[in-house]
Amino acid sequence: AAGVIQSPRHLIKEKRETATLKCYPIPRHDTVYWYQQGPGQDPQFLISFYEKMQSDKGSIPDRFSAQQFSDYHSELNMSSLELGDSALYFCASKRAGVRQETQYFGPGTRLLVL
Amino acid sequence: AQKVTQAQTEISVVEKEDVTLDCVYETRDTTYYLFWYKQPPSGELVFLIRRNSFDEQNEISGRYSWNFQKSTSSFNFTITASQVVDSAVYFCALKMLQTGANNLFFGTGTRLTVIP
């Protein structure tokens, strides 16, 4: 079965640079979530989109922005990167509808900021 | 406020032993979902099970079983006859349906090491 696709899988950036992470949800899933997992931490919710509109916002820094496109893929844009942004970034998707509450996660993008 | 507590930070067992991972949650919502995810060393998050707050039936899937007790706000996970491939970090997570929060709230995870 098709899974959530994230690219790139690994990314190395310097401080103050920008990064763009991409997420392609499972076909027919219209809701996308972004989570950040620091080393040894649990995943923390950043932001979510439903039908191309932002639906919820968590602890996303102002330096980050995201959007969902007409084909439902999503991009997380990160600017003025800091050392503390080094983390595993997950995208998850789910299908809309009653009882469709399971979020399926992608493999993650591992970002290292030097 | 919502909270998920996984008090066991790390557990080590010898292969073929049974092991139970504890999860205790707090929420004011009366309608919610509970999940378990597995994160192997490769890093991905693998969905294992979902339970809604109205369904207290325990579930068994192969060597895995889950015990949902609403009275104690617990959703424990047992692996029977553990194998080396079970070595991973296991996360319990909560999704509330009334508060309006759209995301999963994760516990801090339990790192399980199965020793051959």
Side-chain angles (χ1 to χ4, degrees):
Chain A
V4 177
I5 297 171
Q6 291 188 246
S7 68
R9 294 292 309 277
H10 301 271
L11 193 56
I12 300 175
K13 290 286 185 179
E14 300 272 341
K15 273 172 48 177
R16 292 180 288 277
E17 284 191 325
T18 61
T20 296
L21 310 185
K22 296 186 179 182
C23 168
Y24 298 85
I26 293 171
R28 290 184 296 282
H29 283 199
D30 52 14
T31 306
V32 167
Y33 304 80
W34 286 97
Y35 290 83
Q36 177 192 59
Q37 185 181 25
Q41 307 285 313
D42 53 290
Q44 295 290 317
F45 171 65
L46 293 178
I47 195 167
S48 63
F49 293 87
Y50 166 64
E51 281 291 343
K52 291 150 278 183
M53 300 282 290
Q54 181 183 305
S55 56
D56 215 345
K57 205 169 180 180
S59 51
I60 185 169
D62 292 340
R63 300 176 289 108
F64 294 6
S65 65
Q67 56 183 323
Q68 186 179 31
F69 295 85
S70 57
D71 64 351
Y72 295 103
H73 95 271
S74 179
E75 294 184 4
L76 177 66
N77 299 294
M78 311 159 74
S79 62
S80 303
L81 286 169
E82 301 173 357
L83 296 179
D85 296 328
S86 296
L88 188 52
Y89 290 83
F90 286 107
C91 170
S93 74
K94 81 170 185 76
R95 194 184 306 186
V98 177
R99 301 191 190 123
Q100 300 295 334
E101 294 300 336
T102 300
Q103 296 180 24
Y104 295 93
F105 285 77
T109 294
R110 195 171 293 277
L111 172 65
L112 178 61
V113 182
L114 301 175
Chain B
Q2 65 290 324
K3 191 176 177 182
V4 178
T5 302
Q6 294 180 254
Q8 304 149 308
T9 308
E10 295 190 28
I11 301 177
S12 292
V13 297
V14 176
E15 203 171 18
K16 296 182 186 172
E17 285 185 343
D18 299 347
V19 59
T20 295
L21 310 182
D22 298 333
C23 173
V24 174
Y25 63 93
E26 292 176 34
T27 177
R28 290 180 183 167
D29 283 21
T30 56
T31 308
Y32 50 88
Y33 281 90
L34 294 163
F35 301 81
W36 277 94
Y37 285 87
K38 173 183 180 180
Q39 188 171 40
S42 48
E44 71 271 27
L45 275 169
V46 179
F47 165 72
L48 295 178
I49 191 171
R50 181 190 83 199
R51 243 323 158 245
N52 74 55
S53 50
F54 295 113
D55 183 0
E56 286 195 71
Q57 262 194 335
N58 292 327
E59 182 157 338
I60 298 174
S61 175
R63 296 183 298 106
Y64 295 172
S65 62
W66 291 269
N67 185 344
F68 177 31
Q69 302 246 347
K70 220 167 167 179
S71 58
T72 55
S73 297
S74 65
F75 185 42
N76 296 337
F77 172 29
T78 298
I79 302 175
T80 303
S82 58
Q83 300 176 1
V84 173
V85 293
D86 296 328
S87 296
V89 179
Y90 291 86
F91 289 98
C92 181
L94 168 69
K95 166 78 161 61
M96 299 175 296
L97 292 180
Q98 292 167 288
T99 307
N102 200 18
N103 55 289
L104 294 174
F105 292 91
F106 286 87
T108 49
T110 297
R111 181 178 298 278
L112 174 65
T113 302
V114 181
I115 303 164

